[in-house]
């Protein structure tokens, strides 16, 4: 192990094979982090691993008086959920996300699902944010469209696919590394505020997630606690926004030229 | 001994300057907007998240104001390009409500000052508050027009 720029996943319990690996990373509207945090409490997920790295700021997070790593993996027998309590530094994101995907590959995960938001300029005018889906291969896109079966399952209702555009940030890398390694990966992105915490978008993503991984998650508490979450999440949102701007996140508004 | 001095193109120089300026701006932003607490127990205020968008016709300021009491929201120009946003919370929030037990203090108001980088008609502002988001629309000043011959 090199003494600098290392990323290692330290397992605290035995990790199930063929699980679903979910990512709830700080991104627009903190949708992924808010959704992940709600999943952890609703499904009573336990910490199964943490990420030891010198690429994050020198910090720990205190919960109930004990220190925890800011980037951890929670789980049960079927699910693994990677979540970060700090904004991921733009210059560290490649190595961190690559290590997490590689770890998932070692654990032979069945599918990788990223949950997050897509910046929507007129978000305050939208009462029910739409959720768009993306996938790492054409077969999965067809599955998400409800056209074919995948692993013996067919969706009753199609997802709206994010067909053209740019993706920037942690989920762009998850998709890239999964595609390169032939790991099935899906992303669910709700219309969200760019830099305001968006619990409503997180609730919409969780509702749609239950169709992909067949796990029911009650979101009523999440909607009820929306204002409290928005108040608490101001600081991490501010820091995340700063890192997103370094990643040129605003490119997601750009119209691509197909060549 | 020969020295080969590669002349840098104007584009390289501009890109280098732009990078330096960006780094400087980022540093300033970090100092002013990030690296200070978002709360002030002395004034009992919380700092909301804010945004400023500039379009060709107007400047749109938004602020995320969870728990804000709609009727108490005030948007006041302090001068031509500085606006003050104030809103009372529906209830007092203390550190314990935010999960913090090692700090003392309670907060009753959102407060921030927002700088607008272009000239605006400050008296013609339109204010709305929907789903906890404050929106202030300010028409841009049309100081002069360039006639096309």
């Amino acid at each position: 192990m090199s003494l600098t720029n290392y990323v290692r996943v330290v397992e605290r319990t035995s990790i199930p094979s063929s699980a679903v690996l979910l990512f709830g990373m700080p991104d627009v509207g903190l949708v992924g982090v808010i959704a992940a945090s709600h999943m952890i409490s609703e499904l009573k997920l336990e910490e199964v691993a943490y990420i030891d790295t010198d690429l994050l700021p020198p910090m720990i997070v205190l919960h109930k008086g004990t220190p925890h790593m800011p980037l951890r993996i929670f789980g049960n027998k079927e699910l693994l959920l990677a979540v970060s309590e700090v904004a991921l530094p733009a210059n560290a994101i490649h190595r961190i996300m690559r290590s997490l995907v590689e770890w998932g590959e070692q654990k032979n995960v069945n599918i990788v699902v990223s949950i997050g938001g897509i910046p929507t300029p007129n978000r305050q005018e939208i009462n029910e944010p739409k959720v768009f889906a993306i996938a790492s291969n054409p077969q999965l896109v067809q599955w998400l469209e409800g056209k074919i079966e995948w692993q013996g399952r067919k969706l009753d209702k199609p997802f709206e696919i994010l067909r053209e555009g740019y993706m920037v940030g942690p989920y762009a890398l998850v998709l890239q590394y999964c595609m390169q390694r032939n790991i099935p990966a899906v992303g669910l992105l709700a219309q969200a505020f760019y830099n305001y915490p968006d619990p409503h978008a997180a609730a919409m993503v969780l509702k749609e997630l239950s169709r992909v991984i067949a796990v029911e998650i009650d979101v009523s508490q999440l909607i009820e606690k929306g204002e409290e979450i928005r108040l608490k999440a101001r600081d991490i949102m501010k820091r995340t926004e700063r890192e997103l701007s370094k990643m040129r996140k605003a490119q997601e508004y750009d119209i691509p030229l197909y060549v | 001994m020969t020295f080969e001095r590669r002349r840098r193109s104007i584009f390289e120089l501009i890109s280098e300057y732009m990078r330096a300026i960006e780094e400087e701006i980022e540093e300033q932003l970090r100092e002013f907007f990030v690296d200070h607490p978002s709360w002030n127990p002395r004034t009992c205020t919380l700092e909301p998240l804010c945004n400023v968008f500039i379009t060709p016709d107007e400047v749109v300021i938004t602020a995320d104001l969870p728990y804000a009491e709609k009727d108490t929201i005030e948007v006041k120009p302090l001068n031509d390009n500085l606006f003050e946003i104030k809103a009372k919370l529906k209830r007092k929030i203390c550190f314990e409500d935010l999960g913090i037990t090692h700090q003392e203090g309670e907060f009753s108001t959102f407060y921030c000052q927002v700088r607008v980088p272009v000239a605006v008609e400050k008296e013609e502002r339109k204010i709305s508050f929907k789903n906890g988001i404050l929106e202030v629309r300010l028409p841009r000043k049309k100081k002069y027009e360039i006639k096309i011959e």
Side-chain angles (χ1 to χ4, degrees):
Chain A
M1 188 178 78
S2 156
L3 286 176
T4 55
N5 293 349
Y6 64 89
V7 184
R8 58 188 190 110
V9 181
V10 181
E11 295 169 16
R12 296 170 71 105
T13 60
S14 74
I15 304 295
S17 182
S18 307
V20 171
L21 175 57
L22 292 143
F23 283 101
M25 294 291 148
D27 203 323
V28 292
L30 295 178
V31 175
V33 178
I34 295 169
S37 163
H38 183 70
M39 273 184 87
I40 292 165
S41 63
E42 274 294 310
L43 303 177
K44 300 188 172 44
L45 302 179
E46 299 282 336
E47 184 183 326
V48 296
Y50 63 84
I51 286 68
D52 182 19
T53 176
D54 60 356
L55 294 170
L56 290 179
M59 62 156 71
I60 49 146
V61 192
L62 292 167
H63 291 303
K64 294 177 184 163
T66 54
H68 297 273
M69 293 294 183
L71 185 45
R72 291 186 280 169
I73 300 168
F74 291 79
N76 59 20
K77 283 176 188 164
E78 290 103 31
L79 288 180
L80 296 166
L81 170 58
V83 59
S84 177
E85 291 185 74
V86 286
L88 297 178
N91 56 9
I93 194 167
H94 282 85
R95 279 166 288 182
I96 290 174
M97 298 318 290
R98 193 187 299 122
S99 301
L100 284 167
V101 170
E102 280 172 358
W103 178 80
E105 189 181 26
Q106 280 169 29
K107 298 295 154 192
N108 198 25
V109 293
N110 184 34
I111 188 170
V112 169
V113 185
S114 302
I115 46 178
I118 181 158
T120 308
N122 60 336
R123 169 66 184 91
Q124 63 262 42
E125 310 298 330
I126 300 167
N127 289 325
E128 289 286 290
K130 262 200 245 175
V131 176
F132 293 90
I134 45 171
S136 60
N137 66 53
Q139 194 199 1
L140 272 175
V141 170
Q142 285 195 313
W143 177 63
L144 291 167
E145 287 174 321
K147 289 179 181 167
I148 59 163
E149 272 194 10
W150 183 73
Q151 294 189 343
R153 283 183 61 218
K154 196 171 178 204
L155 299 178
D156 51 350
K157 205 177 108 199
F159 276 99
E160 196 162 331
I161 305 293
L162 198 67
R163 293 196 185 277
E164 304 283 335
Y166 294 105
M167 274 190 76
V168 178
Y171 297 144
L173 296 177
V174 169
L175 215 60
Q176 181 196 327
Y177 298 139
C178 286
M179 182 192 71
Q180 289 168 337
R181 288 164 178 78
N182 219 12
I183 303 169
V186 165
L188 297 179
L189 307 171
Q191 293 177 312
F193 289 111
Y194 181 83
N195 61 346
Y196 297 153
D198 200 334
H200 195 176
M204 298 310 285
V205 161
L206 288 179
K207 275 188 189 170
E208 297 295 329
L209 177 68
S210 61
R211 300 206 291 130
V212 175
I213 62 166
V215 171
E216 282 297 323
I217 302 151
D218 181 6
V219 295
S220 52
Q221 281 276 312
L222 181 54
I223 292 175
E224 209 174 288
K225 286 187 173 176
E227 283 191 302
E228 183 187 326
I229 294 167
R230 279 161 57 199
L231 198 67
K232 278 184 171 179
R234 285 170 309 131
D235 293 332
I236 178 171
M237 185 73 258
K238 227 168 16 168
R239 293 187 190 274
T240 299
E241 184 195 357
R242 190 163 166 258
E243 296 304 328
L244 291 178
S245 76
K246 283 189 201 163
M247 293 174 208
R248 308 283 190 270
K249 185 74 179 176
Q251 278 184 76
E252 286 192 354
Y253 292 126
D254 292 1
I255 297 161
L257 171 68
Y258 189 79
V259 286
Chain B
M1 198 170 151
T2 57
F3 289 98
E4 260 188 52
R5 200 171 145 209
R6 186 177 154 266
R7 285 187 65 174
R8 287 184 297 171
S9 75
I10 184 75
F11 299 109
E12 280 177 298
L13 288 170
I14 290 171
S15 142
E16 210 169 275
Y17 281 128
M18 291 300 285
R19 227 178 358 255
I21 291 168
E22 269 178 29
E23 277 168 19
E24 180 59 29
I25 291 170
E26 270 178 18
E27 190 55 33
Q28 296 288 329
L29 282 173
R30 190 175 63 79
E31 275 178 28
F32 287 104
F33 295 109
V34 178
D35 283 340
H36 67 266
S38 60
W39 38 265
N40 186 338
R42 199 176 51 80
T43 54
C44 300
T45 55
L46 293 172
E47 189 183 306
L49 293 169
C50 286
N51 245 334
V52 179
F53 300 103
I54 303 163
T55 76
D57 300 316
E58 61 181 0
V59 172
V60 184
I61 304 171
T62 64
D64 188 21
L65 303 176
Y67 284 122
E69 192 75 72
K70 187 182 174 185
D71 299 339
T72 66
I73 298 172
E74 284 177 46
V75 181
K76 204 166 79 182
L78 296 179
N79 58 39
D80 280 347
N81 57 5
L82 190 64
F83 288 80
E84 182 184 72
I85 295 174
K86 255 194 223 175
K88 285 229 180 312
L89 299 173
K90 284 179 210 157
R91 64 175 177 89
K92 282 187 179 170
I93 305 280
C94 58
F95 274 114
E96 221 167 314
D97 297 327
L98 305 173
I100 302 291
T101 51
H102 64 281
Q103 304 264 17
E104 279 181 19
E106 54 178 26
F107 308 99
S108 55
T109 310
F110 271 122
Y111 179 84
C112 71
Q113 291 183 0
V114 182
R115 195 167 291 280
V116 174
V118 293
V120 290
E121 304 286 358
K122 58 181 191 244
E123 299 308 330
E124 289 175 34
R125 59 190 180 272
K126 285 185 183 150
I127 301 168
S128 64
F129 185 62
K130 197 178 169 192
N131 297 330
I133 307 288
L134 169 74
E135 189 178 89
V136 184
R137 290 185 172 270
L138 299 148
R140 287 180 68 171
K141 257 189 191 158
K142 303 269 188 244
K143 275 189 176 167
Y144 47 83
E145 282 181 13
I146 300 168
K147 279 188 183 164
I148 299 167
E149 288 172 13

